[in-house]
Amino acid sequence: MAYVKGHGLRGNVQRAIDYIVNEAKTRNGSLVSWSSMSGASPSTMGIQWDIRKAIVEQKDYRKKSDIVGYHFEQSFAPGEIDEITAHRIGQEFAERLTNGAFDYVIATHVDRGHIHNHIIVNPINNTNDRLWNIYWKKDLKKFRETSDTLCRENGLSVIENPSLQDKTYYEWMISQRGHTEKEIVMKTIDDLVEKVLDYSQFKTCLQNLGYSVEDDLTEERPEKFQFTANRKLFQKETEEFFFFRIPYKKEMMQIPKSQVEWLNENRTAKVTLNDTVYALYDKEGLYLREAELYEIKQSWEEKGKKQRKGLRIKPPGYDKFIRCERLNVQGKGYSLDDVINRINSNDIIVVEDEIMEILSGNDPNAKDRFYDRLNIKERWKESGIYKSAKQERYYQWKTKTVMTRYNDIAYQRYIEEEKLNIEEYRKDKKELIHELNECSTDLKKAENTYRMIQEKSLLGQLEITDEELEKFVQDTIAPLQKVRLNLKSEIHSLDKRIKDIEEREKRKNITPTKDAL
């Protein structure tokens, strides 16, 4: 069974090709194939596509389009197919899609839990230079039928009644919105509590993945701790131990009598803890677990407060903490106590390699792989990329400011052209160069943001529609490109005028020689 999806690419198509042919994902490049009229390899194919696209558009403006490629993804069910067969089916699928008329690159990725093909196609026809216009709502169904036909020919299963298998429209719409901060935190906690040995490892994993963690727990492990306990917390005693209930909890802790001193006519117990761990019991006296000294210390230090702050987690790129004690889904608890209890009851003895890599903190791509494995997708308008860019308001304001300044200089020079001297020209040129540098910096930031959005979208970590991408380009990159072009033109004009004046001044100051006379 194979599932097909696709979208149009805008911006730098070579960057998209470089991503899919990554050797780490394609068995050192052995699972990469391509078809190119010019014979170009994937390392330069995207550049040649851009050049050819520019030539075609120059010949016929009606063929101008911001689509630089079409990206298809063909995903197979886990365990149903080997990588060689998957790559061969991908090649056949690409040939049937393009009918031999369009260049393409295909790469089979084996770095996830399921094998999948990435196919990037040049939208310009090799024979007649026509653009391939895809209408996704109508054509995607045909593409999937083609893929299903190939699956049947190769003995693979297909979704016979997709309408019965699909989600409802509401479920689909919700899934396309991406995960909220709370959902990201819950999915992360659910995964880690099943794979770490203790809370310390859990917290380190979160921090190395880019999460911010607040829990009011000190990282230091005290060697000794003293506190006083009211007689009301005393539960029972045996020959060697006293049992005290932990404040605001139903658990009892077992304390050796040698560590307890009774004061105020036995109304208050002064307790000195100097052991590493202490046994905890329920109210019936049945053993529950062991608690480290720092956990006990935190419980008694909080006994005078009405409510503990508990565990608070902020996902990467977000600006607020999630109070985990308020999260509860299908009976799962996410408070600090719940997390510690879930970790203590997971029966883990050996930590998986992936968790060890996260704990090492040496892998810059750990977060991306973690998000990919858990299928975590950030909401576009709540993601760190969107918030940090602040593109619409910022770039519109910046474009207006630069254009106003440019128009002022142009108008001033127009009305005083005959009076303007060379020093004023130089001053204007200097100001325009400053504006050009600022505009170039802003444009570079916008282009970097666009590349980051495309990468997140390719990795499946960010849901964004073609319309939202188009709006981003039109509201940010296109205005800045226009401003930069105008500024360059004006600077060139000023520079030429300055050089003309300087040449005239040189000729004026030349002293005639005897020969010339």
Side-chain angles (χ1 to χ4, degrees):
M1 179 184 70
Y3 181 77
V4 174
K5 61 181 181 179
H7 64 277
L9 291 173
R10 294 172 173 82
N12 192 331
V13 68
Q14 184 61 54
R15 191 178 181 88
I17 293 174
D18 290 342
Y19 166 76
I20 70 168
V21 301
N22 188 330
E23 292 186 352
K25 302 173 182 288
T26 59
R27 299 278 189 236
N28 294 321
S30 63
L31 298 174
V32 176
S33 301
W34 61 92
S35 172
S36 174
M37 179 184 68
S38 65
S41 67
S43 61
T44 59
M45 192 177 291
I47 298 173
Q48 292 204 6
W49 291 2
D50 287 338
I51 295 172
R52 185 157 171 261
K53 182 174 182 292
I55 294 173
V56 170
E57 291 176 350
Q58 190 174 13
K59 290 179 179 178
D60 189 349
Y61 71 92
R62 292 171 298 181
K63 295 180 180 180
K64 192 170 184 179
S65 170
D66 58 349
I67 296 293
V68 297
Y70 290 115
H71 184 184
F72 298 90
E73 185 173 345
Q74 185 184 36
S75 303
F76 298 93
E80 189 179 43
I81 194 171
D82 63 88
E83 56 198 47
I84 302 299
T85 305
H87 189 71
R88 177 176 55 79
I89 291 177
Q91 289 176 298
E92 295 175 4
F93 179 57
E95 284 294 331
R96 296 190 187 188
L97 280 181
T98 62
N99 198 26
F102 300 86
D103 291 348
Y104 66 82
V105 181
I106 173 174
T108 302
H109 285 194
V110 293
D111 59 324
R112 298 189 189 178
H114 64 285
I115 297 174
H116 56 283
N117 291 323
H118 287 277
I119 304 169
I120 295 181
V121 182
N122 186 359
I124 298 180
N125 193 301
N126 284 328
T127 57
N128 54 26
D129 289 342
R130 289 181 180 177
L131 293 175
W132 184 14
N133 291 316
I134 294 179
Y135 301 94
W136 292 102
K137 289 184 178 179
K138 178 183 70 175
D139 294 339
L140 189 56
K141 182 179 179 181
K142 297 178 182 178
F143 300 150
R144 288 173 176 169
E145 288 174 353
T146 301
S147 177
D148 287 346
T149 300
L150 283 169
C151 287
R152 291 189 184 97
E153 292 174 358
N154 287 272
L156 302 177
S157 62
V158 298
I159 303 175
E160 297 293 350
N161 297 300
S163 61
L164 300 178
Q165 300 282 341
D166 289 344
K167 300 176 181 178
T168 65
Y169 176 75
Y170 175 77
E171 292 172 330
W172 175 86
M173 182 179 67
I174 293 298
S175 69
Q176 295 304 301
R177 289 168 51 190
H179 294 96
T180 64
E181 301 101 312
K182 291 182 179 180
E183 291 168 337
I184 293 174
V185 168
M186 288 190 292
K187 291 190 77 167
T188 300
I189 291 177
D190 288 339
D191 184 77
L192 291 181
V193 295
E194 299 296 329
K195 297 180 178 179
V196 296
L197 294 177
D198 52 37
Y199 178 77
S200 177
Q201 282 191 352
F202 170 80
K203 186 173 180 179
T204 301
C205 282
L206 285 175
Q207 292 170 335
N208 288 349
L209 289 170
Y211 292 75
S212 299
V213 183
E214 294 180 355
D215 54 15
D216 304 318
L217 296 179
T218 177
E219 293 299 324
E220 298 177 358
R221 299 294 189 264
E223 298 178 357
K224 185 177 181 180
F225 173 59
Q226 284 188 340
F227 64 89
T228 57
N230 190 283
R231 183 77 186 188
K232 294 179 180 179
L233 294 176
F234 174 73
Q235 299 294 301
K236 65 175 184 177
E237 66 177 297
T238 63
E239 185 175 344
E240 299 180 2
F241 299 97
F242 287 123
F243 289 81
F244 287 87
R245 181 174 60 82
I246 298 176
Y248 308 110
K249 295 184 180 181
K250 296 181 180 180
E251 295 174 315
M252 296 189 300
M253 61 180 295
Q254 174 185 279
I255 304 174
K257 287 186 174 181
S258 61
Q259 298 179 10
V260 179
E261 177 186 356
W262 288 98
L263 309 172
N264 300 330
E265 298 179 355
N266 293 339
R267 291 195 301 270
T268 305
K270 180 181 179 182
V271 182
T272 302
L273 301 181
N274 49 30
D275 294 332
T276 305
V277 294
Y278 287 84
L280 301 184
Y281 297 79
D282 64 13
K283 62 181 181 180
E284 304 298 331
L286 297 177
Y287 173 79
L288 295 175
R289 62 185 179 89
E290 288 185 338
E292 293 188 27
L293 182 56
Y294 80 94
E295 182 183 347
I296 300 296
K297 179 178 183 293
Q298 180 66 26
S299 298
W300 286 96
E301 284 183 340
E302 295 284 343
K303 69 189 180 81
K305 300 181 182 179
K306 292 183 178 179
Q307 183 179 9
R308 292 180 61 190
K309 294 181 180 178
L311 180 62
R312 300 172 302 285
I313 299 175
K314 180 171 66 175
Y318 290 84
D319 55 6
K320 67 178 182 179
F321 281 88
I322 303 299
R323 294 184 63 177
C324 296
E325 63 185 16
R326 296 181 177 179
L327 305 177
N328 192 301
V329 177
Q330 298 178 346
K332 293 180 181 179
Y334 295 89
S335 68
L336 179 60
D337 292 334
D338 291 327
V339 168
I340 292 174
N341 290 337
R342 288 169 68 180
I343 292 172
N344 290 334
S345 61
N346 65 15
D347 297 327
I348 294 296
I349 300 176
V350 179
V351 177
E352 296 179 3
D353 290 342
E354 181 187 5
I355 300 299
M356 291 301 296
E357 290 177 359
I358 296 174
L359 287 170
S360 71
N362 297 325
D363 189 352
N365 299 318
K367 180 221 168 189
D368 287 339
R369 286 206 303 274
F370 184 80
Y371 268 42
D372 183 50
R373 182 169 60 79
L374 296 187
N375 195 29
I376 292 176
K377 297 178 181 179
E378 301 175 71
R379 289 186 174 182
W380 160 238
K381 290 193 176 180
E382 296 178 10
S383 66
I385 303 172
Y386 183 90
K387 292 178 180 179
S388 64
K390 296 181 181 177
Q391 63 274 9
E392 290 179 303
R393 285 181 296 175
Y394 175 78
Y395 289 122
Q396 287 174 3
W397 170 80
K398 190 64 179 178
T399 301
K400 182 179 179 181
T401 301
V402 173
M403 285 305 296
T404 300
R405 176 61 183 152
Y406 163 74
N407 289 334
D408 287 345
I409 293 175
Y411 179 73
Q412 185 69 20
R413 188 165 54 82
Y414 171 75
I415 62 175
E416 297 183 1
E417 187 168 2
E418 297 300 323
K419 301 178 183 178
L420 210 58
N421 59 39
I422 190 171
E423 292 302 320
E424 290 172 326
Y425 277 122
R426 288 169 177 162
K427 180 181 176 182
D428 286 347
K429 177 185 173 183
K430 184 177 180 180
E431 290 179 356
L432 288 175
I433 289 175
H434 177 71
E435 296 291 353
L436 176 62
N437 291 337
E438 286 193 350
C439 182
S440 298
T441 300
D442 293 338
L443 180 59
K444 186 175 181 180
K445 290 179 181 178
E447 291 173 342
N448 288 339
T449 300
Y450 184 80
R451 293 189 190 98
M452 194 181 305
I453 292 169
Q454 278 201 325
E455 288 178 354
K456 291 278 188 182
S457 180
L458 285 171
L459 291 169
Q461 295 174 2
L462 183 67
E463 290 292 340
I464 181 169
T465 64
D466 286 347
E467 290 77 14
E468 287 174 322
L469 270 175
E470 176 66 19
K471 189 173 186 303
F472 177 84
V473 172
Q474 293 304 319
D475 289 345
T476 61
I477 296 177
L480 287 169
Q481 287 176 333
K482 182 178 179 181
V483 171
R484 188 174 67 169
L485 185 63
N486 289 337
L487 288 171
K488 283 185 174 181
S489 175
E490 183 64 17
I491 291 171
H492 177 73
S493 177
L494 275 174
D495 192 55
K496 186 175 184 301
R497 179 161 297 191
I498 291 170
K499 288 181 179 178
D500 288 341
I501 294 174
E502 289 175 342
E503 287 296 323
R504 287 199 300 269
E505 290 296 319
K506 284 182 181 179
R507 288 195 296 270
K508 186 186 301 184
N509 295 328
I510 293 177
T511 303
T513 63
K514 291 182 179 181
D515 293 336
L517 293 173

